[in-house]
Amino acid sequence: MRRRKIFITILVGVVLGIFIVQPLVFSLQINYLEGDKSWWTYLQESYQKVFNFNDEDQILINLLFSIMGIALAFMVVVRKKIYKLRRRSKS
């Protein structure tokens, strides 16, 4: 049970990091630097860049953002566990 929960947390973290956080960060950065088009246009371009696994630099960036997503997912899981333990100890 614990291994399955850890695996699900890692999977959610990878998806969160690569498919949500990375395109948002890229599009906001490009919009800040250039700012001549709509932010939605930059968001679409960043999603196209995320799915490009042919570039070696992009693979490394995907790996780093997936590690960040995994860390965020584990922070949420640990926070929930601490909250449950505190409620149990108070009652």
Side-chain angles (χ1 to χ4, degrees), residues 2-88:
R2 291 181 136 263
R3 288 185 186 183
R4 183 173 182 217
K5 195 170 189 177
I6 290 173
F7 179 74
I8 290 172
T9 304
I10 290 173
L11 187 64
V12 166
V14 168
V15 169
L16 176 76
I18 292 178
F19 298 115
I20 295 175
V21 175
Q22 182 180 0
L24 285 174
V25 169
F26 281 171
S27 63
L28 290 173
Q29 178 68 21
I30 293 171
N31 188 24
Y32 176 74
L33 292 176
E34 296 179 7
D36 55 347
K37 292 190 271 185
S38 171
W39 174 71
W40 291 103
T41 307
Y42 293 124
L43 186 63
Q44 291 172 345
E45 290 174 5
S46 64
Y47 268 111
Q48 291 172 354
K49 188 174 182 179
V50 166
F51 290 116
N52 184 14
F53 290 107
N54 298 332
D55 188 17
E56 292 174 1
D57 293 335
Q58 186 61 38
I59 292 171
L60 180 63
I61 291 171
N62 286 346
L63 177 68
L64 293 174
F65 271 97
S66 65
I67 291 171
M68 185 175 68
I70 291 169
L72 288 172
F74 273 114
M75 284 174 33
V76 169
V77 168
V78 168
R79 178 67 181 129
K80 284 183 181 181
K81 187 72 170 175
I82 290 171
Y83 182 72
K84 285 180 184 178
L85 290 174
R86 280 189 177 175
R87 290 190 89 183
R88 243 188 249 163

